Each structure stands twice: as structure tokens, then as C-alpha cells.
Amino acid sequence: MAKKRNGKMHKGLQLTLGITMVLSLLLTACTSNGGSGNKDKTEPTQSAVSNTGGNDESKGNEGANKPVYPLNTKDTFSYWAPINGNLITFTTNLAEAPIGKAIAEATGVKVTYIHPTDGQAEEQFNLLLASSKLPDVLEYDWSIYPGGPEKAIADGVIVPLNDLIDQYAPNLKKMLEANPDLDKMVKTDSGQYYAFPMVRNSEGVVFRGPMLRKDWLDELGLQLPVTIDDWHKVLTAFKEKKGAAAPLTALYANKMNLQDAFFGAYKTSHGFYIDDQGKVKYGPLDPQYKDVLTLFRQWYSEGLIDKDFPIVERNTLDKRFLNGESGATVYLLGGGMGKWLESGKAQNPDFNLAAAPYPVLKAGEKPFTGQRDFKYNPKASAAVTTSAKDLETIVKWLDFAFSEQGTMMYNFGVEGESYTMDNGVPKFTDMIVKNEKYTSQQMLAQFTVPNGPFPMHEQKTTNTFPQQDEAVKVWAETDAEKHILPAFITPTVDESKKVAQTMTAINTYLEEMFIKFLMGNESLDKFDSFVKQLEDMGIRDVIDIYQGALERYNKR
Amino acid sequence: MAQLKLGRSKVAHAGRLPLNIAKDIVKNKYLYIMLTPVLAYFIIFQYFPMYGAIIAFKDFNPRLGIGGSAWAGLEHFRDFFGGMYFWRVFKNTLMISLYDLVFGFPAPLILALLLNEVKNALFKRSVQTITYLPHFISLVIICGMIKDFTSSDGVINDIIAFFGGERITMLLEPSFFRTIFVSSNIWQHVGWGTIIYLAALSAIDPEQYEACKIDGGGRWKQMLNVTLPGLLPVFVILLILDIGRIMSVGFEKVILLYNPTTYVTADVISSYVYRIGLQDFQFSFSSAVGLFNSVINFALVIGSNWISRKLNNTGLW
């Protein structure tokens, strides 16, 4: 061990070398610890605000207590939010996008945006809460915080906004006073405000539904299907006459994403719903749920349902539709119908899609349920954390989105660039909707804020095809409003813990059993024992908890 | 124990702590300087975080922190052992690991022996390069390739269809999962694994081969009597290290390849921990599961090392 080996080297040189080695090793040890430490992966943006005094139109004509934009402040803050998937093509940070720069210029505040890795927002959000250093603002789905927003306030994660809104957010305040139903959604049971909400416009609440290849229907001389039997006929024709390998397909995200299409025909749901008596129910426990399974089982065995349905991702869906492997699905208005019409027509001028109404058993019935969201979208709402320092600036900045000027900017971008006024109606320019290189979705992500804490303008539509306008009308024709359980009901802390534990196991079980029933690996005679298993796992307790939370919600 | 002598001796005996540590540090300061970063690394990044394992016994609340959360005793362990999926994830973890050990572990050794017999240097080098390339491709891309290869219009199904078989989406078949998982593991790592064996081969004394030849041994005999015994120590040490990882199947790969249809055979302890802990926010519960996993791994390493020492006097310690 102790042999001297300084034969050829100078003493001082040796020491330097030793120390250098140590230092460099320590450095690498510190930097290469990249396991989960990408919480602070931000790129400080250098887009300094150059206020040349050009765009101050809305100055002066507002009330005395209203904040005047751009704010005269040196404050800055950090804003954590998932990045829009369509923006990634162009930039990794919202501050560098045209819309980010426009907002910074208009408000006079340079915000540092922090974006989690695309697709891992939920995990990173959870890790973030476990760390002690929070960004100043968190834009996320506060309804999934265990125990709800009220608990997040009690845990000292976010601050209640009631006083701050009173003082610094006149625009939001005005909106909440004018819309009591919205007010009820964005409060907790005890009346605390916790976030600046994303507010949808009246058309924006419906954005998903059943759609089919219209050109195939025309070619085969078929009508748009209305009843379950019609659907069976159409899907069979697609399979036999058009050679579709997977006539009906759907995105799979822990469940077949059908928005309760087909389930609704049997007056049930794939999850929790509210029945006609205002009681919370869990679909899989219903006897009629077995009818849905029987139907799907039959369709699957006839090859009408995508046989690979548990691994259908977004790109699979694109492939299925653009290669003529599928002729029907339940999917998004913009990211599905709009996108496929755009790329489908490029390949094949006849390519056409049409929205079908939610299926029913007998023609003339109104569909029991379907996709219908609420005005308030808790998924993209911004809460202020307890780490935030400059509360006044932050709240004023957040309120900008609710001012007239801000609403226009968030919805449409910059006038003359991304939109023009046409007889008082804002219209997107050709650069956005008829871009040679990029889809309109990609352009909108750069020049507007697709999702975030702002009110959607009543005249905002991102539809680029008349088929989409039609679709919104068709899909809205359901009784979903009465039967969908709001996402922002809030069980208490202990209840939430119970729900989380119970539902984790139940969701896994339901998912596996659903697949087995459909594929025929499990006989439908086992349905009763399946229901019993769900009850043994504690589903009744969860139903009771939700019932209580719903009643509290209705009393708000 | 000639302690007095040792104290005065200039050279510490290997394997014993020198009595006068200060003296030793002065004497071998460069060795110690080189040792510090390694020690620091282990203390900072390996030992210190172990403190966090406490949350397995607590009701962890992120805002209260590790110290502030309430104790929950063994509740999470009870939940796990009594849960519906305990036996399934336990069995799957063991099965996938065993498959990997039985089929995947000897593969590099076999390839190394084969390469050792190749005389054409160019051929040997290109085979090596081709086989260790997949090791450098990122796992996500590898899994994307696996998905493509095994999909119903993928290359494997093309071959099956060519011989008149039926096309199936292989990743939807629970019975295929382990095979796909393990064989793709071999494909990924076999070339990389041979490197260490080839290095060990070059250390074998050529005289032994000469002796074997003189005794009339052909190539086969040389391999059995010289090459294999020469590789045995390396083989055993690698085996012990691998057995220690038996319960920690690479969950990234499982997560990238599995889906609800294949949970039956594919859901392992670590992927279960990931789903429950990070996606469902139950940090304490998943730490308990992870801790249980580590305890088993620990026992396996100690056990296999002990057996190996008993059998052939080689071991990690």
C-alpha cells in the first residue's frame, strides 16, 4: 500500500493534480445526478421587454382601481405549467414563443416559465410538491390534489385568493359576480378561491364525440348511424366492403376512450355518474353495464372493434384513420377531426368525416350521457403558491387575461398578425389557418394560448372545417349535463385518502376485467362475481364519499 | 498479532488498519486524496438518501416533510402484503429475473467462447461491433423498435405469415411478454457483456494452452480445461452481482412495453411502485414496497456470496 511513487513527478505538480482530480470528480458527481432532478430545467429567457410606447391602446380608459397595463414594476416570478404539445416543434419555453413575448410586453412583467417534460406533468407535479421549493405559480389540475384544493391550502402549498382577488383582480371579480354558476365551480366547499380558472365558452364545453368516414358512408349508400343497430350495420359494412381491419377504434388511456358513447345508450357509464334522482352511481355495478359488455364482446368477436385496442395511442389513431384501417372512432374535434380532415384530404380529395350523434337504443331517444365539460376547466388553472413573494404583481398579471385586452390576446394573439377584425368578429389570418408548412394547431400554439387561466372568447373557434361546426351541434345533443359528476367536488382529506387507495386498486381491476370480458378471456357469466369483487374492494364507500361531496357542492 | 511491531513498522499490512492513522495519512496522502471523492459520492448520494426510507413507516405528507409526517407503523406493509396484486407482482418479478438469469446471463459467455475460436480478426471485430451496438441505443428507442418488430405488421409477423402462420400483435399476448422481454435483453446486452470475458481471456497464460496441446488436447479439450476455468472467477463474481439485482427488474423497460392486457405476466414490483407512488401520489406506500424489495435483494447477495465462498472460494468479499 505505502510504496512511494513520486519518482518522476514534481511535488507541487502532484498536489495540484490530486486536488484537480478531486474537484473535477466532485463536480461530475454533482452534475451527473440527473435522476429526477430536472425540476428546475428552465431556460432563463433573454426576451427583455422593449417598451417603445407603441402598443398602449388600452391605457387610461379604465376605472381608477383597475390595474393599468403594462404594470410599472420590476418584479418577476416563476410560472410552472405543462407546455402545449404543439409548441414543442418550435420552442421549449413559452417565453420564447410569439405569444409569450406579446404577453410580456403588454403586461410589462417578464415571467420565467418552467415546463415539465411533455407527458410527465403529473409525475413532476407530484415530485414538485414533495420538494420544499415551489415555483410562484402552478398551473395544473387542482382537482386531483389529494384532498382537493382546500387541502392544498391547508397543507400550505397554495394561498387562498379571496382577498387578493378583491384587491387586485377586478376583471375576474366582475366575471364571477356576473356568473354565479361559474362562481360555485371555482370555489371550495368553504368558499375559498384557490386558482385563476380557465373558463370555456359555451361551445367549448363539447369537443369530443363519435365520428365516421363520411365518404365511405356515401359510397356504401348508408346514413349516419343513430341507434346501436345502425352502428352494427355500418361497422360491418366498413369491415366487409371497405376492408377496414379495425372498423371502430379509440384512443386507449387506461380505458377505451369512448366518452361513454355506447354506454350511454344503456343508461350507464364507464365510471361514476349521477342518475336521474341525483344519486351518485358507479357504472360497472349496474346490471345494464353487462349489456354494454355483451355488445362490445360481440362486436369484438366479429372483428368490428380494433383488436389491438389496449395499445392504441395517438399516433396509432392517426395511422388507422389515414390508412383507411378504421372508419369510426370517438375523438377530439380539433386534434382528431380537424387534423385528419387536413391531412386526409391532402392524400385523398374524397376523404371526409362526419360527426354522428351519441348512439341510442331506439331512434328518437335523447342520449343519456356523452362528453360535456363544465365552463370551468380545472385542468389548466393557475394557483399561487406559498413561496410567492410579489403577490400583488402576480395577481394583477393573472388578472390581465380577464381584461378585455388580455382576453383578446390569449384567445387570438396579436391583431394584424395572427387575427384581424372582420365586422367586429375576430378572424384568424391565413398564416394561422392556411399555413403551408404547419397545421393550424401548431400555429395556434405559437400565437395564442390554447389552454390556460383565461376566459375563452365567445367568438373564438379553432374549427377550420364546416364539419367541425356541425359536430359541436350534434355532440351537444345529450343529457350529459345532468349526469356527469363534476370534477371539482371535494371530498375531505381522510375521504380523499380512502378514495385514492381504493380507486387505485379498483381502476387496475376494472381495466383488466374490461379487457378480458371484451376479448373473451373471461366469460360474461362471471359478471356477478366481478361486481362482488368491486364491492369487496370498497367501491360502495367511495360512492358514499362522492355522494356527500356532491351534496356539499350543491350547497355552495 | 504483533501489535507493537506493527505500530513501529513503516508499512501497514494489507487487510489491517494501521494503528497510527494520522501517520498513514501523511505518508499516503495522494492515495487518500484520490479516495475522498469516491467516499463523498457514496455518503452523499447513496447513504444519506437512505434516511428517506423512513417514509415507508409514516403517512408522508409532502408539505410536512419527512420529519413532520405522522407515524403509520407497518400499515403500508400490511396493505401491500394483503393487497390483491401482491403475489402477482412478486411472482412476475421473480419469473422475469429467473428467465433473464437462466437465458440472458450465460449468453455473453457463450458468445465470448465462440469469438475466441474465430481466427479471422476482421470477422471477429465486426461481429463484436455489431453485437455491442444495441447497448448504446437509448432504451426508449429500443422499446419503440421492439413494438414495431412485434406489431401485427412488423417484421417478425412478416416471417410468420410467410410460413403460413397467423399475424398477432405479440405485445398483447401475456404468454409472450417474458420471452420478448428476455430475448430483447439478450439482443441489447450480449455484445457488451462479452467484452469483460474477452479481457479475462487475454489474461490466461498461453503456456497452459501449450501444456494442454502437448497432452494431446484438441480445441474442444482446450476450451474445457483451460479457457473455462480461466473465466470462472469472473463468471461467478458477475453472477453474484446479478443475483443481487434479481428483484429489481429494469422497470423502465417493463413500463415501456407492458399494457393492461399483459399486466398478468408483466407487472413487476418496481412498475407497480411507479404506478402507485408517482402516478397515484402514494409515496409512503410505494416506499414500503420498494424497501421490501431492497431487503430481499440484500439477502440474496449475502446468501449467494456465502454459497459461492463455500463452493469455490471466490466471492465479492
Side-chain angles (χ1 to χ4, degrees):
Chain A
M1 283 290 284
K3 261 170 73 177
K4 287 225 168 191
R5 312 182 193 170
N6 55 357
K8 294 191 186 71
M9 246 197 275
H10 196 272
K11 264 262 163 54
L13 184 68
Q14 262 189 348
L15 198 64
T16 332
L17 198 79
I19 290 169
T20 325
M21 263 176 72
V22 171
L23 281 177
S24 62
L25 272 168
L26 272 177
L27 271 175
T28 40
C30 289
T31 48
S32 66
N33 149 46
S36 58
N38 47 4
K39 275 175 244 159
D40 305 324
K41 229 169 73 180
T42 60
E43 296 165 25
T45 56
Q46 297 302 319
S47 54
V49 184
S50 57
N51 216 340
T52 45
N55 307 351
D56 315 342
E57 301 136 20
S58 66
K59 259 191 183 175
N61 55 2
E62 296 184 326
N65 64 344
K66 289 214 168 187
V68 178
Y69 300 105
L71 299 167
N72 186 6
T73 173
K74 287 263 181 294
D75 295 344
T76 169
F77 59 93
S78 55
Y79 186 103
W80 188 95
I83 192 165
N84 184 299
N86 285 309
L87 186 60
I88 300 175
T89 324
F90 308 98
T91 174
T92 54
N93 198 292
L94 186 57
E96 288 158 14
I99 182 68
K101 290 179 180 157
I103 292 171
E105 192 169 342
T107 56
V109 182
K110 218 175 83 180
V111 177
T112 311
Y113 293 95
I114 305 170
H115 300 299
T117 318
D118 189 39
Q120 295 183 359
E122 193 175 337
E123 285 94 326
Q124 296 201 11
F125 176 75
N126 290 343
L127 287 170
L128 198 64
L129 293 175
S131 75
S132 51
K133 222 181 140 323
L134 292 168
D136 299 340
V137 180
L138 281 174
E139 179 192 309
Y140 198 61
D141 185 352
W142 287 97
S143 61
I144 68 159
Y145 186 90
E150 188 116 28
K151 174 79 162 77
I153 294 173
D155 283 351
V157 180
I158 55 179
V159 295
L161 297 173
N162 299 40
D163 299 349
L164 291 163
I165 291 175
D166 278 344
Q167 281 174 284
Y168 308 119
N171 298 307
L172 174 64
K173 193 177 169 171
K174 204 168 77 189
M175 185 177 223
L176 293 176
E177 280 166 357
N179 298 287
D181 57 331
L182 175 70
D183 191 53
K184 185 167 128 178
M185 295 176 195
V186 301
K187 280 198 288 230
T188 63
D189 289 342
S190 69
Q192 287 178 303
Y193 295 111
Y194 56 90
F196 275 71
M198 171 166 178
V199 184
R200 296 193 173 100
N201 63 10
S202 43
E203 281 210 336
V205 296
V206 173
F207 48 81
R208 248 179 211 264
M211 61 182 87
L212 299 101
R213 281 287 294 269
K214 182 79 171 83
D215 49 327
W216 288 5
L217 289 172
D218 294 344
E219 187 186 326
L220 301 167
L222 293 162
Q223 294 297 310
L224 270 174
V226 175
T227 64
I228 295 281
D229 292 335
D230 296 346
W231 271 86
H232 185 253
K233 200 164 65 193
V234 164
L235 293 176
T236 311
F238 281 180
K239 182 166 185 65
E240 287 166 1
K241 306 220 170 67
K242 294 303 302 178
L248 172 67
T249 188
L251 183 74
Y252 195 93
N254 307 325
K255 61 176 189 194
M256 233 175 132
N257 222 328
L258 294 168
Q259 301 303 314
D260 285 342
F262 310 107
F263 292 87
Y266 296 87
K267 308 248 180 301
T268 180
S269 154
H270 199 29
F272 293 95
Y273 68 99
I274 304 173
D275 70 4
D276 291 320
Q277 286 74 43
K279 288 271 172 275
V280 176
K281 285 275 192 69
Y282 186 60
L285 299 177
D286 292 338
Q288 61 269 35
Y289 190 82
K290 190 178 175 179
D291 301 336
V292 185
L293 289 174
T294 312
L295 175 83
F296 283 162
R297 170 72 200 121
Q298 192 202 333
W299 285 7
Y300 185 85
S301 62
E302 291 174 15
L304 304 182
I305 292 178
D306 193 332
K307 66 177 185 355
D308 293 348
F309 74 89
I311 47 174
V312 173
E313 298 166 346
R314 273 186 96 129
N315 53 4
T316 326
L317 213 52
D318 293 345
K319 194 180 90 170
R320 290 261 191 276
F321 260 81
L322 299 173
N323 298 352
E325 294 165 6
S326 292
T329 187
V330 179
Y331 201 47
L332 293 166
L333 183 69
M337 194 182 237
K339 187 163 134 193
W340 298 329
L341 280 168
E342 211 161 328
S343 9
K345 280 193 191 302
Q347 293 174 5
N348 165 10
D350 294 335
F351 186 98
N352 197 1
L353 294 167
Y358 275 86
V360 287
L361 277 181
K362 296 188 199 65
E365 289 179 330
K366 196 168 186 191
F368 178 79
T369 182
Q371 184 270 325
R372 188 185 184 85
D373 260 288
F374 292 79
K375 253 191 186 162
Y376 166 43
N377 176 9
K379 281 195 171 65
S381 296
V384 182
T385 69
T386 45
S387 310
K389 298 271 185 302
D390 312 309
L391 292 175
E392 183 180 339
T393 305
I394 293 173
V395 172
K396 281 180 176 172
W397 184 90
L398 286 167
D399 196 48
F400 170 73
F402 291 81
S403 70
E404 214 163 309
Q405 181 201 359
T407 302
M408 289 306 283
M409 186 172 278
Y410 274 73
N411 278 283
F412 303 106
V414 177
E415 189 170 3
E417 191 176 7
S418 55
Y419 77 98
T420 48
M421 295 303 279
D422 178 22
N423 292 330
V425 180
K427 282 261 188 296
F428 286 116
T429 54
D430 285 357
M431 174 186 78
I432 304 283
V433 287
K434 291 201 173 68
N435 199 293
E436 297 279 300
K437 278 176 73 178
Y438 301 109
T439 64
S440 53
Q441 302 268 342
Q442 287 176 311
M443 297 308 289
L444 286 169
Q446 286 187 87
F447 288 90
T448 71
V449 179
N451 291 305
F454 69 94
M456 263 170 81
H457 196 283
E458 268 308 325
Q459 287 161 326
K460 180 184 184 178
T461 168
T462 52
N463 296 351
T464 40
F465 293 93
Q467 290 94 321
Q468 291 172 291
D469 299 337
E470 180 61 23
V472 175
K473 291 194 191 76
V474 172
W475 294 338
E477 283 299 311
T478 64
D479 278 337
E481 206 161 2
K482 280 193 293 204
H483 298 128
I484 287 183
L485 189 69
F488 19 82
I489 57 168
T490 43
T492 66
V493 176
D494 290 338
E495 286 175 345
S496 296
K497 200 176 138 185
K498 176 111 183 93
V499 168
Q501 276 176 348
T502 312
M503 287 319 288
T504 298
I506 283 183
N507 286 334
T508 307
Y509 178 70
L510 172 68
E511 190 178 11
E512 288 186 49
M513 289 306 284
F514 182 80
I515 291 174
K516 282 182 183 165
F517 282 136
L518 241 67
M519 292 188 163
N521 306 342
E522 192 78 70
S523 152
L524 278 158
D525 306 340
K526 291 266 174 65
F527 184 77
D528 293 341
S529 64
F530 159 75
V531 170
K532 190 177 171 309
Q533 176 68 40
L534 287 172
E535 287 180 334
D536 290 347
M537 290 168 98
I539 189 70
R540 292 279 169 208
D541 299 342
V542 179
I543 294 174
D544 292 343
I545 287 170
Y546 279 154
Q547 186 66 43
L550 179 68
E551 280 158 20
R552 286 197 301 275
Y553 170 76
N554 289 333
K555 285 201 199 89
R556 276 182 200 172
Chain B
M1 293 280 276
Q3 290 200 350
L4 279 172
K5 258 189 179 166
L6 184 82
R8 275 186 244 114
S9 76
K10 289 244 158 52
V11 181
H13 291 277
R16 283 194 216 157
L17 271 181
L19 279 189
N20 196 335
I21 290 182
K23 226 179 190 168
D24 192 66
I25 288 179
V26 171
K27 209 160 71 182
N28 299 316
K29 52 181 170 295
Y30 302 112
L31 290 176
Y32 279 98
I33 287 176
M34 282 157 77
L35 177 70
T36 34
V38 181
L39 270 181
Y41 167 81
F42 276 99
I43 289 166
I44 296 169
F45 295 116
Q46 304 291 336
Y47 284 92
F48 183 67
M50 283 187 196
Y51 163 71
I54 293 180
I55 71 169
F57 306 97
K58 291 195 159 205
D59 257 335
F60 180 64
N61 172 325
R63 297 311 292 167
L64 299 175
I66 296 175
S69 302
W71 290 97
L74 295 174
E75 184 197 340
H76 303 298
F77 290 90
R78 272 197 293 272
D79 280 352
F80 176 52
F81 297 140
M84 227 176 122
Y85 296 114
F86 170 69
W87 282 113
R88 185 170 86 180
V89 295
F90 186 73
K91 195 185 91 186
N92 288 341
T93 310
L94 271 180
M95 290 299 286
I96 290 183
S97 288
L98 282 176
Y99 269 51
D100 212 21
L101 214 58
V102 172
F103 297 103
F105 187 72
L109 178 69
I110 293 164
L111 183 64
L113 291 175
L114 292 172
L115 281 173
N116 194 38
E117 301 300 321
V118 173
K119 282 281 167 281
N120 181 333
L122 182 70
F123 176 72
K124 190 171 165 178
R125 269 210 308 273
S126 36
V127 168
Q128 262 196 281
T129 311
I130 290 166
T131 50
Y132 76 59
L133 264 184
H135 180 86
F136 295 100
I137 302 175
S138 114
L139 187 62
V140 179
I141 295 170
I142 290 269
C143 289
M145 287 162 85
I146 296 171
K147 278 182 188 171
D148 279 348
F149 291 161
T150 56
S151 73
S152 56
D153 49 6
V155 74
I156 298 177
N157 271 300
D158 288 345
I159 297 166
I160 293 172
F162 178 79
F163 289 108
E166 197 189 340
R167 288 178 179 272
I168 30 176
T169 308
M170 296 181 169
L171 285 172
L172 282 176
E173 299 289 331
S175 54
F176 285 15
F177 186 85
R178 289 172 190 150
T179 312
I180 294 174
F181 188 92
V182 171
S183 49
S184 61
N185 253 1
I186 294 175
W187 168 60
Q188 262 180 282
H189 301 303
V190 69
W192 186 251
T194 54
I195 294 177
I196 196 162
Y197 289 120
L198 289 171
L201 278 172
S202 63
I204 296 174
D205 193 346
E207 278 181 25
Q208 293 190 20
Y209 286 109
E210 294 294 327
C212 190
K213 267 191 207 151
I214 289 164
D215 291 344
R219 302 206 61 154
W220 181 249
K221 274 272 185 266
Q222 285 175 36
M223 189 179 87
L224 282 185
N225 297 328
V226 181
T227 315
L228 272 177
L231 290 179
L232 195 66
V234 178
F235 184 83
V236 169
I237 284 180
L238 287 176
L239 187 64
I240 293 169
L241 286 173
D242 251 33
I243 286 176
R245 284 195 288 264
I246 215 166
M247 294 303 285
S248 37
V249 175
F251 83 108
E252 300 95 339
K253 194 167 162 186
V254 173
I255 284 169
L256 288 166
L257 290 178
Y258 78 168
N259 60 65
T261 353
T262 49
Y263 281 175
V264 185
T265 50
D267 198 15
V268 292
I269 293 182
S270 44
S271 58
Y272 182 73
V273 167
Y274 164 80
R275 282 211 312 278
I276 309 281
L278 272 187
Q279 295 185 317
D280 293 342
F281 225 171
Q282 300 180 38
F283 293 134
S284 281
F285 178 79
S286 47
S287 300
V289 178
L291 197 63
F292 159 78
N293 208 3
S294 309
V295 169
I296 292 189
N297 276 336
F298 183 70
L300 284 169
V301 174
I302 302 274
S304 53
N305 192 64
W306 183 82
I307 291 169
S308 151
R309 291 254 309 264
K310 281 273 170 283
L311 290 177
N312 57 9
N313 277 331
T314 42
L316 284 173
W317 64 90

